[in-house]
Amino acid sequence: MLLFELVFSLFYFGVIRSVLSNYEELNKTIEGIAATRGFGGCSASAYKYGEPVYNFGTGQIDLETEVNIMRIASLSKSFAAVAMLTLIDNNDMGITLNSTIYDVIKDDDEILATFNAFTTLRDEIDKIRISDLLSMKSGLRHYEEAFEYYWHYSGNESNTILHEKLALFGDDPLFREIRSGYKYSSFGYGIIGVLIEVISGQTFYEYIEDVILDPMGLENIGDAESIDRSRYTKQNVMECATTDRGYKLLVDCDLNDTYSSEYYDQVVWYKNTAGGLIASTLDIAKYADNIVWNRAGVLSDEMHSEMF
């Protein structure tokens, strides 16, 4: 069984579904959490039997659009996982869950050379399977320093963006032997993004738009390029939150301060497969409902069973 990051959906389809009969009580609970934790705002949504049954928000809100979107952090990994599984369902390269990183990139000289520039990756890409990356049993480590989380491309044309990203961890020894145990790794999901783009011939977001977002009717999920960046405040990018576009603990922030779109690109673009997507809670609930029941049929029955 693949480790599949749908903790959010399981929470909604388990805990919240059991109390949906008492919306007023649930609303008060959410308001209490937002107030006691110091959030600038909070929203929650749920689907049941393919229909929205709950959508609530409290605190600051985007009054202009009335669609409150925020970074969904590592829930983005579930989109990467589903995207990879759709490619395994439908590819003419013979790629399977047991295919290795090398199997996928071996015919792309530039990408292969970039991976081979780093000792650990060079030695392990013919051993780490797609299933290892998806289930976080590749042995690759996670972020250890804040600069790795907020890393952005230096703009040095002597290095590609991929090279600079892989340089953060590519020479580090594996945390543990491949398939010997679980180790959470956003770096591993970054590699998933590379594989998706190699197999599909599209960018990650273009691919999920075609095979996940459009078939499921998800209109408020995107990345830095697909959603109007001019409306993203400093609070959203730095997660210090005072609007309904990105909640974290309140800190001293200027409500009107914004970062340039170039800064936003640098911070978010590379994290799309590991944590960079943006969405409304209602669309996330709809997505979860689709995935749990495979309503849009984006996966074969066999692959859907394998996922869970």
Side-chain angles (χ1 to χ4, degrees), residues 8 71 87 123 134 141 206 210 253 298:
F8 183 96
R71 285 190 56 212
L87 286 168
D123 293 343
L134 290 172
R141 69 174 178 84
E206 288 170 345
D210 287 346
C253 290
V298 299

Side-chain angles (χ1 to χ4, degrees), residues 71-77 143 149 186 268 271-277:
R71 285 190 56 212
I72 63 172
S74 285
L75 284 173
S76 305
K77 292 181 175 68
Y143 307 134
Y149 182 86
S186 286
V268 173
K271 289 173 62 65
N272 279 349
T273 54
L277 294 180

Side-chain angles (χ1 to χ4, degrees), residues 128-195:
I128 297 175
R129 302 169 182 169
I130 292 174
S131 58
D132 300 329
L133 295 169
L134 290 172
S135 61
M136 297 191 182
K137 294 182 179 179
S138 66
L140 296 170
R141 69 174 178 84
H142 185 52
Y143 307 134
E144 293 179 350
E145 304 290 343
F147 82 88
E148 294 178 339
Y149 182 86
Y150 290 110
W151 170 89
H152 61 274
Y153 179 47
S154 69
N156 182 349
E157 294 183 0
S158 63
N159 289 326
T160 64
I161 296 173
L162 178 60
H163 185 281
E164 288 197 7
K165 179 59 179 175
L166 295 181
L168 293 174
F169 66 97
D171 286 323
D172 296 344
L174 294 182
F175 184 84
R176 56 166 52 94
E177 291 184 8
I178 301 168
R179 292 183 288 281
S180 66
Y182 171 84
K183 169 64 176 176
Y184 192 90
S185 175
S186 286
F187 288 136
Y189 264 76
I191 292 177
I192 285 289
V194 176
L195 304 187

Side-chain angles (χ1 to χ4, degrees), residues 84 93 95-96 99-108 111 125 130 191-192 194-200:
M84 178 55 74
M93 297 171 60
I95 301 300
T96 71
S99 296
T100 64
I101 297 172
Y102 176 79
D103 291 334
V104 177
I105 68 173
K106 63 184 179 181
D107 294 326
D108 190 309
I111 290 179
I125 58 174
I130 292 174
I191 292 177
I192 285 289
V194 176
L195 304 187
I196 289 170
E197 294 191 353
V198 169
I199 299 171
S200 70

Side-chain angles (χ1 to χ4, degrees), residues 85-102:
L85 296 182
T86 64
L87 286 168
I88 292 171
D89 256 346
N90 302 281
N91 76 86
D92 56 9
M93 297 171 60
I95 301 300
T96 71
L97 284 169
N98 290 324
S99 296
T100 64
I101 297 172
Y102 176 79

